[in-house]
Amino acid sequence: MPTIDLFELRNNFALHDVLICFNGPFSHGLIEEFGVAVRQHLAQRAAEHSALLDVFAVYVELAQNVRNYIAAKGFTPGQPHNPDCAIIAILWDGERFAVGAGNVVARADAAGLAGRIAELNGLDKETLRRRFKEQLRAPHQPGSRGAGLGLLDIARRAAMPILLARTPLTDEWEFVSLLVRI
């Protein structure tokens, strides 16, 4: 049985200024419980209130996106690469907070997400604000799990371009990581 060096893991968290992190299966209840912990942890940092709201909002959007994707794909425990599990972390880079999330994604979906992130990264704040308002007023798409506002809202709150990394796992699957600096 492989062992894990928790000291090394702890040092990696310290090296990358990880404030709080969760890795494992996502559920609605877990997102809520972790959200409470995130709020309490951020409040202790005595950071600017608007920054805390942005960090929490981005955490909620990323966590819901991951949970909805896992639910839509019907992933179950025990599959190779643990597609029912995800990781979400909040970091401090010395100047700003960042929220990161990663999970297993079908290669075609990862390509679509990469294109969407590239599109959003190319828009200025005014265009993002206008598109968010337009999407808010748009009719809800039948069969859709949301109003299509999540990535727009994340891009509006991001202080820098959203970073996306794709790590191939198999011919069909990738591990996709998003990092949003607030």
Side-chain angles (χ1 to χ4, degrees):
M1 177 176 176
T3 61
I4 182 169
D5 185 339
L6 293 177
F7 182 70
E8 182 181 326
L9 182 61
R10 179 181 176 270
N11 285 342
N12 269 329
F13 281 175
L15 177 68
H16 298 287
D17 289 322
V18 175
L19 304 174
I20 189 166
C21 180
F22 174 81
N23 181 52
F26 265 48
S27 68
H28 182 71
L30 191 108
I31 291 170
E32 286 181 3
E33 291 297 322
F34 191 67
V36 170
V38 166
R39 274 189 176 188
Q40 291 173 348
H41 190 79
L42 292 174
Q44 292 173 358
R45 301 275 307 180
E48 187 178 318
H49 185 67
S50 64
L52 297 181
L53 291 177
D54 287 341
V55 170
F56 189 74
V58 169
Y59 156 76
V60 168
E61 286 297 336
L62 288 176
Q64 287 178 343
N65 286 350
V66 168
R67 183 184 61 89
N68 290 343
Y69 187 80
I70 290 170
K73 291 295 182 183
F75 294 138
T76 56
Q79 293 178 289
H81 306 294
N82 299 320
D84 62 318
C85 296
I87 186 167
I88 192 159
I90 298 174
L91 310 96
W92 174 256
D93 71 1
E95 294 182 26
R96 63 184 72 245
F97 288 102
V99 183
N103 63 301
V104 174
V105 176
R107 183 160 291 203
D109 296 336
L113 178 61
R116 179 81 171 123
I117 296 297
E119 175 195 358
L120 292 173
N121 282 341
L123 301 176
D124 61 33
K125 290 294 183 189
E126 178 55 32
T127 305
L128 288 168
R129 186 186 69 76
R130 190 180 69 248
R131 284 199 181 176
F132 184 83
K133 286 186 174 183
E134 290 169 359
Q135 187 65 34
L136 198 58
R137 292 185 206 116
H140 189 74
Q141 298 295 320
S144 165
R145 291 186 158 260
L149 295 169
L151 284 176
L152 269 170
D153 192 37
I154 290 170
R156 285 180 6 160
R157 295 175 187 274
M160 305 172 83
I162 299 169
L163 299 177
L164 181 137
R166 299 167 62 184
T167 304
L169 299 172
T170 67
D171 289 343
E172 295 179 64
W173 301 100
E174 298 179 3
F175 189 86
V176 174
S177 303
L178 288 177
L179 184 68
V180 182
R181 289 171 283 176
I182 310 296

